[in-house]
Amino acid sequence: MSRNLVVRAAALVLLLLMLAPALMGQGVLLSENDDHFHLPRHHWHYPHHPPRPQPVSSYRIKSLSIDSKIDGQVATVQVSQTFVNTGSRQLEASFVFPLPYDGAIDRMTFMVDGREYEAKLLPADKARSIYEGYVRRNQDPALLEWMGQGMFKTSVFPIPAGAERTVQIRYTQLLRQDMGINDFLVPLSTAKYTDQAIETFSVKAAINTTDKLKNIYSPTHDVQIDRSGDNLAIVKIELKDYVPANDLRVMFSTDSRGIGASLMSYWPNENDEGYFTLLVAPEIRQNSADHQRKSVIFVVDRSGSMNGKKIEQAREAAKFVLNNLRDDDLFNIIAYDTEVETFRPELQRFNPTTRTEALGFVEGIFAGGSTNIDGALQTALKMITDKSIPNYIVFLTDGLPTTGETNEAQIAANAKSANDHAARLISFGVGFDVNSRLLDRLTRDNRGQSQYVRPDENLEEHVSRLYSKISAPVLTDVKIEYLFENTPPGTPAVNRVYPAEVLDLFGGQQLVLVGRYRGKGPAKLKISGRVGEESSSFEYDVSFAHPNAGGQYSFAARLWALRRIGEIIDLIDLEGQNQELIDELVRLSMEHGILTPYTSYLADDLASPSELSDNRMNFERTRDQLRMLEAAEGQQGFVQRGIKQEFKSAQNELAGGVPQFGNRMPSGGGGLLPGGSGGRMSLGQGAGGNTSGDADLSGKSVDEIVRRAGKETAYLRGNTLVASNATDVDPEKDKDQIVEITRYSNEYFELLKSTTKDENQLLALQAADEEMIVRLQGKIYRIK
C-alpha cells in the first residue's frame, strides 16, 4: 500500500497550541494534485519487504518555531515553519487546521513567504467528509484522530519542486480553564511519524498573570522555566534533530495565598480507582529574612579512592554549600576516611567569621585512608539536637565501607537508631564502586533521597543543583489531608500516594504528588505544617473527577504508574521478591507502555500475540531479570539504583517511555540507563554485559515495537499490532469472540462514528501490511 498524503506539516504547521488535551488540533498539508502523495512519516520497515519507490510528491519539515504570549487566559500565537518540497514536481497544496473545540479560534492569519492566504472555517460534518475522503483515497490512518471536529482550510498555494516555503500562522485563542488551571497545548504527536527529524525546533511561551503565578507544570516534556517575580514566567524548549513523541502541554495556575495548590484527576473506569496529580508550590520569597532557619551538615568522603578530580570537586561542592547558607543557619563540615574529623565539635552558627574559617578547613581536605561510613554518620547525627528546625545531612561517598562497621544492614540500623531529631539524609554515590543498595536503605530510613553520579559527571554540579532546591524551606513537617463530602464507607478516599511522605516545601520549588482515589466530587484539600515554631495551614476547594468524566488529565494515570513502578522496584530491592509485586510490575508496564530493565521483553516482537496474555511466562521473565538487583555495588548496582530513582521521582511522561527515535533495545534484556534530564531514558548496560545502545533484536527499533498515542499503547508481535487493552486476548483461544473488519471499508467507517478521539489515535498506530487486535466499546476486533 502506498503511503500517501498528509500529515506532517501537520506537526508543523499548527503545531501550535490548541489546548484542549483531549482534542489535539494540528495543521495538515493536503495535496490538491489528486495523485499519490508521500506522507512524511516514519515507515515500519520489514526485512522481507522490498524498498518502496520514491513518490513524485513528498516534503519534509526543516524548522518549526512557536512563539506565544499568554495574558491571563488569552494566548496570542505565531507558528513559523519551513518545509521543503522533496518531490520531483510542483506541489499544489492547502493546509487544514482541526479545531481543538468549538469557538477556540475565531480568526486566523495564514501567510506563505509574506503573502496572506484565505482560511475558511468549516463545520464538523463538512470537515469529517474531507478527512474520510483522504483516509479512503490514501489508505493511511493518520487523519483518523481528527475526524469528528470542525476545521479551518486555506486556499491552494504552489510549492515548486526543491523549493523551501516558510509558513506563518497567527491567531488568538482563549485557553480552557478547569478549577483554576489554565491548559496550553502544543500539538506535536503527529510529527513522530516523520522519517526525518525536525532540524530545529523551539517553543517560547511568555506567561503574564494578574494574580501571583504559583504552579507551572508540563506533564509531557522537560521544559525550561524562567521566573521573573510573582507574575511573569518564560517557558522554553530548544531542540535539534527532534522527533516529537507526544504533544506538549503546559499548565499554570495562580493564587494570592502563600502556597498554591492545583489538583488534576482522571477516573477511566468505575470498576477501578481514579488517578490524581497534585501540584503544590510556595511563593518565591525575595527577602532572605523571610526564610526560616535550618541546619546543614556536609559529610565528605576523603578516602584514598577520592584522590584527584573527585576530591577537588568535593571541596568545591562543600564551598558552594557554605557560600549559600544564610545568617543564623547552623552548619558543620565532616571529613572522613579511617578517622572522622570535624570542622568544629558541634554545630556552628553561620556568619562571616565561621564561613571564612570553614572555607579554610575545606581547603585542607585531602584524600587518603579507608572508608568509615558508619563512624561518619554517627558523628553527624549526634550533632543534631533541635527538632524544631529542619535538619539536613548531605552525605557523600565513592566506595564501600572498609573500616569500622562494614555490615550493610547494621550500618543502616545504626543510622536509623541515632536519628532522634528527624534529620533528612541526602546521599550522593560517586562512581561505580559505591554500595548503592546501602545508600538507598539509609535514605529510605532517614527521610531523604539518593543520587548517583557517574564517573564522567561533575560532582559539584550535582550537589549544588540539589542544595539550591532545599536551601529555602518554607513549610516543614508537611501534612496533606483530603476531606471529601462523600466518601465510600470502609474505603480510604485517597491511597497509594507518592511520594508517600512529604516533609518540607521549599521556596521556588514545586512538589508533584500522585495517587489513587475512591472519593469523588467536591472536597477540601488541607495543607498544614510549621513555619519555625508556629503552625500554619491552608485550605483549598478541589473536585475529584467522576468515573468516565473525560480524559483531559489522563496523563495522571501514567505518571502514577511510573512512580508506583519505582516503589515496587524499591520494595523488591530492599525486601526481596514476591509474586504479588512482580505481577503488579508486569501489569503496570504492559498496561501503560512503560519499559523497565525487568520488562524489556515487551520490546521483543519475536514473540507471538498469545504470549502477551501468558501471565506465567511474563512472571518468569520478569523474575529472572529482577536478579540484576542482587548486585549491590559495581556498575550493575549503580545502574539499577539510578534507574529506580528515576522512576520514583518521575515528573512527567518522558520517564520509562519508548526511548528516543532510533534507539535499539540491547539483546540479552538490556537495562535502561537514567538519562540526563527529567527521567528521559536511554539504552545501555544489559544483564549480560552488552553495553551497545544500538544492538538489535529483530531489525526493528523499540519505537516500532512499542507504540504510544496519547494514553494508549500497542505492541507489535510479528505482523500483528496488539492494543494494550487487548493483551489478555489469545487470538486462537478467543477467536469466537473476535469480530473481523477490513480497514477503510464501509463497516470500518461506521465503527469510527462511535469511537472516541483516544480510540482513533490508537487505530492510527496501525501501519500498512499489519493486522490489529483491539478492544473497542467492550468488543474485540481484528482489523485487517
Side-chain angles (χ1 to χ4, degrees):
M1 250 174 232
S2 63
R3 278 202 122 89
N4 294 339
L5 181 124
V6 183
V7 92
R8 211 333 205 4
L12 253 304
V13 97
L14 210 190
L15 228 198
L16 199 276
L17 18 165
M18 332 262 350
L19 50 156
L23 298 170
M24 50 193 131
Q26 303 196 12
V28 181
L29 181 63
L30 300 181
S31 169
E32 301 296 334
N33 295 344
D34 198 28
D35 62 354
H36 291 299
F37 182 86
H38 174 60
L39 173 64
R41 101 186 238 175
H42 179 59
H43 294 287
W44 312 118
H45 292 297
Y46 303 104
H48 59 280
H49 285 166
R52 302 177 186 274
Q54 179 67 27
V56 295
S57 297
S58 63
Y59 66 93
R60 67 178 177 87
I61 302 168
K62 185 175 182 180
S63 65
L64 173 64
S65 64
I66 301 164
D67 293 281
S68 59
K69 180 180 180 182
I70 303 172
D71 288 308
Q73 203 179 337
V74 179
T76 303
V77 182
Q78 176 173 296
V79 182
S80 298
Q81 84 183 40
T82 299
F83 58 91
V84 181
N85 181 355
T86 55
S88 59
R89 70 178 186 181
Q90 178 168 292
L91 172 64
E92 302 292 335
S94 62
F95 276 93
V96 299
F97 311 93
L99 300 182
Y101 49 84
D102 290 341
I105 303 171
D106 58 1
R107 63 180 298 274
M108 178 182 294
T109 301
F110 180 82
M111 304 185 75
V112 180
D113 288 347
R115 178 181 173 185
E116 186 170 342
Y117 287 79
E118 181 184 14
K120 294 181 179 180
L121 177 63
L122 301 179
D125 56 349
K126 179 65 173 176
R128 183 183 182 93
S129 68
I130 291 176
Y131 292 141
E132 185 171 322
Y134 274 106
V135 172
R136 287 180 183 272
R137 186 191 320 166
N138 296 292
Q139 299 286 286
D140 195 290
L143 286 177
L144 294 178
E145 60 190 87
W146 299 312
M147 294 180 69
Q149 60 194 78
M151 70 178 182
F152 276 89
K153 186 174 187 296
T154 71
S155 54
V156 178
F157 60 93
I159 312 170
E164 291 186 3
R165 284 289 182 266
T166 298
V167 173
Q168 283 189 337
I169 302 170
R170 298 176 186 173
Y171 58 90
T172 301
Q173 187 171 12
L174 182 67
L175 301 187
R176 273 191 170 173
Q177 191 179 80
D178 177 61
M179 296 294 294
I181 302 171
N182 296 281
D183 192 355
F184 178 69
L185 172 66
V186 180
L188 299 173
S189 62
T190 307
K192 68 189 173 190
Y193 296 120
T194 182
D195 54 4
Q196 296 185 49
I198 300 173
E199 293 180 21
T200 59
F201 170 75
S202 64
V203 176
K204 180 180 179 181
I207 304 172
N208 190 17
T209 60
T210 302
D211 291 332
K212 291 182 179 179
L213 260 174
K214 284 298 193 301
N215 293 295
I216 305 175
Y217 173 64
S218 172
T220 58
H221 285 73
D222 296 321
V223 297
Q224 177 186 340
I225 301 174
D226 298 328
R227 304 193 64 152
S228 301
D230 293 327
N231 305 90
L232 179 64
I234 308 295
V235 179
K236 297 180 181 178
I237 295 180
E238 294 183 0
L239 298 169
K240 298 288 187 183
D241 297 322
Y242 176 58
V243 177
N246 51 15
D247 299 329
L248 166 67
R249 291 181 71 184
V250 177
M251 302 172 177
F252 63 93
S253 63
T254 62
D255 202 309
S256 58
R257 290 169 287 186
I259 293 176
S262 301
L263 182 102
M264 296 160 287
S265 58
Y266 169 61
W267 196 338
N269 185 342
E270 61 185 343
N271 296 322
D272 198 357
E273 296 180 333
Y275 304 84
F276 73 88
T277 298
L278 174 64
L279 310 177
V280 181
E283 65 183 338
I284 302 173
R285 296 181 175 179
Q286 305 295 334
N287 187 352
S288 62
D290 294 336
H291 294 290
Q292 65 170 302
R293 193 161 60 101
K294 63 183 180 295
S295 73
V296 178
I297 303 176
F298 191 88
V299 184
V300 57
D301 186 345
R302 65 176 184 188
S303 61
S305 57
M306 287 287 292
N307 192 40
K309 182 179 293 186
K310 283 192 286 189
I311 197 65
E312 293 175 9
Q313 292 180 353
R315 284 196 293 263
E316 292 304 312
K319 292 177 187 177
F320 179 90
V321 172
L322 289 169
N323 289 328
N324 285 274
L325 291 168
R326 292 182 167 86
D327 290 344
D328 291 331
D329 280 347
L330 301 178
F331 79 99
N332 211 335
I333 305 291
I334 297 176
Y336 70 97
D337 47 33
T338 306
E339 304 297 327
V340 179
E341 182 181 5
T342 63
F343 164 57
R344 292 287 188 269
E346 57 189 22
L347 293 179
Q348 301 294 296
R349 192 170 300 278
F350 183 78
N351 56 46
T353 300
T354 55
R355 171 185 173 276
T356 300
E357 293 172 349
L359 288 172
F361 175 81
V362 170
E363 289 292 352
I365 296 176
F366 299 98
S370 301
T371 308
N372 188 357
I373 289 177
D374 184 64
L377 288 173
Q378 293 298 307
T379 301
L381 288 165
K382 289 175 182 177
M383 287 184 180
I384 299 172
T385 59
D386 186 357
K387 192 176 181 179
S388 67
I389 64 173
N391 300 291
Y392 304 99
I393 296 175
V394 181
F395 178 74
L396 185 152
T397 183
D398 79 328
L400 310 175
T402 56
T403 190
E405 179 60 65
T406 58
N407 180 269
E408 173 187 324
Q410 191 60 51
I411 293 172
N414 291 347
K416 185 176 182 179
S417 176
N419 192 358
D420 296 325
H421 296 90
R424 285 74 154 154
L425 177 62
I426 301 166
S427 64
F428 289 87
V430 184
F432 294 141
D433 295 329
V434 298
N435 185 323
S436 52
R437 188 169 59 208
L438 169 60
L439 295 188
D440 279 6
R441 286 188 189 277
L442 288 168
T443 54
R444 186 187 68 168
D445 292 345
N446 295 278
R447 314 172 81 193
Q449 60 178 291
S450 306
Q451 290 203 5
Y452 297 99
V453 185
R454 298 189 189 96
D456 59 345
E457 291 183 308
N458 190 308
L459 169 63
E460 178 193 353
E461 290 181 3
H462 277 262
V463 174
S464 59
R465 188 184 309 121
L466 185 137
Y467 181 77
S468 295
K469 294 180 179 179
I470 67 170
S471 62
V474 173
L475 194 69
T476 62
D477 294 330
V478 173
K479 181 181 180 181
I480 300 178
E481 299 175 83
Y482 308 86
L483 310 173
F484 285 82
E485 294 181 5
N486 301 299
T487 303
T491 304
V494 167
N495 62 88
R496 290 177 287 175
V497 177
Y498 304 112
E501 186 178 23
V502 178
L503 303 173
D504 306 321
L505 296 178
F506 301 97
Q509 300 301 317
Q510 181 169 259
L511 174 68
V512 181
L513 290 96
V514 299
R516 306 294 302 271
Y517 69 94
R518 290 295 295 178
K520 52 182 176 288
K524 289 283 187 183
L525 177 71
K526 183 178 180 181
I527 301 175
S528 56
R530 291 188 299 106
V531 181
E533 297 290 342
E534 299 180 2
S535 297
S536 183
S537 65
F538 304 83
E539 286 194 0
Y540 308 84
D541 292 319
V542 297
S543 182
F544 286 78
H546 288 249
N548 303 311
Q552 182 178 3
Y553 300 125
S554 61
F555 65 83
R558 180 174 167 80
L559 187 58
W560 178 86
L562 287 163
R563 296 271 188 95
R564 175 58 183 165
I565 283 174
E567 292 296 322
I568 291 172
I569 297 171
D570 194 37
L571 289 169
I572 292 173
D573 184 22
L574 301 182
E575 300 177 10
Q577 292 190 25
N578 69 66
Q579 183 166 345
E580 185 176 336
L581 288 175
I582 296 175
D583 284 346
E584 186 179 1
L585 174 59
V586 172
R587 180 179 59 79
L588 290 174
S589 295
M590 188 177 297
E591 179 180 343
H592 297 276
I594 297 172
L595 297 182
T596 75
Y598 322 109
T599 56
S600 58
Y601 56 82
L602 294 175
D604 177 3
D605 78 322
L606 298 178
S608 67
S610 60
E611 288 182 357
L612 282 173
S613 61
D614 190 335
N615 293 329
R616 185 191 60 80
M617 180 182 294
N618 292 331
F619 170 80
E620 293 295 334
R621 287 172 169 176
T622 303
R623 185 175 64 179
D624 183 62
Q625 290 294 84
L626 281 166
R627 293 196 178 99
M628 289 189 287
L629 286 172
E630 295 174 2
E633 58 225 32
Q635 184 173 356
Q636 185 72 281
F638 178 99
V639 168
Q640 302 307 313
R641 274 82 204 181
I643 293 166
K644 180 174 66 176
Q645 296 303 327
E646 290 282 348
F647 280 108
K648 290 180 68 176
S649 61
Q651 297 292 299
N652 53 51
E653 293 183 288
L654 284 179
V658 176
Q660 289 183 323
F661 189 86
N663 282 340
R664 304 280 179 177
M665 180 66 73
S667 58
L672 296 173
L673 288 172
S677 62
R680 187 183 304 278
M681 311 297 275
S682 57
L683 295 169
Q685 178 75 12
N690 182 357
T691 59
S692 171
D694 264 343
D696 191 0
L697 283 174
S698 58
K700 302 183 183 69
S701 62
V702 174
D703 59 346
E704 290 177 77
I705 300 168
V706 184
R707 304 180 196 170
R708 290 185 57 226
K711 66 185 182 68
E712 306 293 346
T713 304
Y715 298 92
L716 185 65
R717 289 298 183 265
N719 199 41
T720 302
L721 192 65
V722 183
S724 59
N725 63 21
T727 53
D728 60 332
V729 176
D730 186 318
E732 293 302 319
K733 294 179 181 179
D734 302 325
K735 60 183 178 181
D736 293 339
Q737 304 174 38
I738 298 175
V739 179
E740 294 194 354
I741 288 183
T742 301
R743 270 200 302 178
Y744 314 127
S745 65
N746 291 334
E747 187 180 14
Y748 180 76
F749 283 105
E750 280 299 313
L751 176 64
L752 291 182
K753 291 179 180 179
S754 62
T755 54
T756 67
K757 189 170 184 66
D758 286 334
E759 289 169 335
N760 286 349
Q761 285 183 275
L762 179 59
L763 294 175
L765 294 175
Q766 183 181 2
D769 306 320
E770 290 178 353
E771 295 185 354
M772 185 174 194
I773 297 176
V774 60
R775 184 177 273 110
L776 300 171
Q777 283 106 46
K779 292 184 179 180
I780 304 169
Y781 291 90
R782 184 196 296 271
I783 302 174
K784 296 184 175 181

